[in-house]
Amino acid sequence: MSDEKTNSNLLGLDVGKLLGSFRLPSVDVGQLIETNRRNMDALIAAQRSVTDGYTSLARRQVEIFQNTMDMAQAAIKAKREAKKSGEDSGAEGPSSTEIAKMALNMAVQNMKDLAEAASKANGEALSLINERMKATLTELKGMREKKE
């Protein structure tokens, strides 16, 4: 591209002249810019909401993983100590089947919690965007009614 081209020169066409040839309804440019600024603010807020939600979700996943590993280590340690002391493994602590059932129940509950957190993060962002879309339509309709 040449340095001689200006912002209004696109593919060899003078955009200013091209747009000038169309009859556009008069628009309050300031109000249109303000509407678009609000739209961008809403998108930023929605993105922040999603980011915060998924950050919290990732933290929760780390907590779940750490708790699961701690429980597994404790169960293994208890089994080893019971074996070393010569105690009957069935008499001391939960059986392997009970540990597996507890782990499965915990995993199901954790999955529900994570799904709820993800749904909440997405719902908040979607709500922000929907509210802004409604406001934008109202503002654009107001601009149109002012000009008529």
Side-chain angles (χ1 to χ4, degrees):
M1 293 197 145
S2 168
D3 290 335
E4 295 174 19
K5 291 185 179 180
T6 63
N7 289 338
S8 64
N9 193 351
L10 179 68
L11 300 173
L13 299 172
D14 186 348
V15 177
K17 286 183 182 177
L18 182 63
L19 289 176
S21 66
F22 292 104
R23 300 243 340 128
L24 297 174
S26 58
V27 174
D28 183 352
V29 175
Q31 191 173 3
L32 189 59
I33 290 171
E34 182 61 22
T35 295
N36 285 318
R37 187 196 58 76
R38 287 188 200 118
N39 290 346
M40 291 306 297
D41 289 346
L43 287 174
I44 290 167
Q47 180 61 39
R48 188 173 298 124
S49 174
V50 168
T51 301
D52 292 347
Y54 279 97
T55 299
S56 140
L57 182 68
R59 284 187 187 127
R60 181 70 180 123
Q61 285 177 320
V62 169
E63 283 177 27
I64 289 169
F65 179 74
Q66 187 64 49
N67 290 340
T68 303
M69 291 296 104
D70 291 346
M71 286 181 59
Q73 288 175 345
I76 291 168
K77 185 178 179 181
K79 287 287 185 182
R80 284 185 185 157
E81 288 175 5
K83 265 188 175 178
K84 282 182 183 177
S85 65
E87 297 174 10
D88 182 22
S89 62
E92 184 69 32
S95 69
S96 297
T97 304
E98 290 170 333
I99 291 172
K101 284 181 183 177
M102 288 181 350
L104 178 62
N105 289 336
M106 183 185 281
V108 168
Q109 183 58 47
N110 290 337
M111 291 297 285
K112 286 179 182 178
D113 292 346
L114 294 174
E116 186 178 305
S119 177
K120 182 179 175 186
N122 291 338
E124 288 174 359
L126 186 58
S127 176
L128 287 169
I129 291 171
N130 281 336
E131 287 174 22
R132 187 59 219 149
M133 286 177 64
K134 289 176 186 175
T136 297
L137 291 174
T138 301
E139 290 168 10
L140 292 175
K141 184 178 176 184
M143 279 189 250
R144 193 180 106 217
E145 288 173 353
K146 272 187 190 178
K147 297 300 174 185
E148 290 178 354

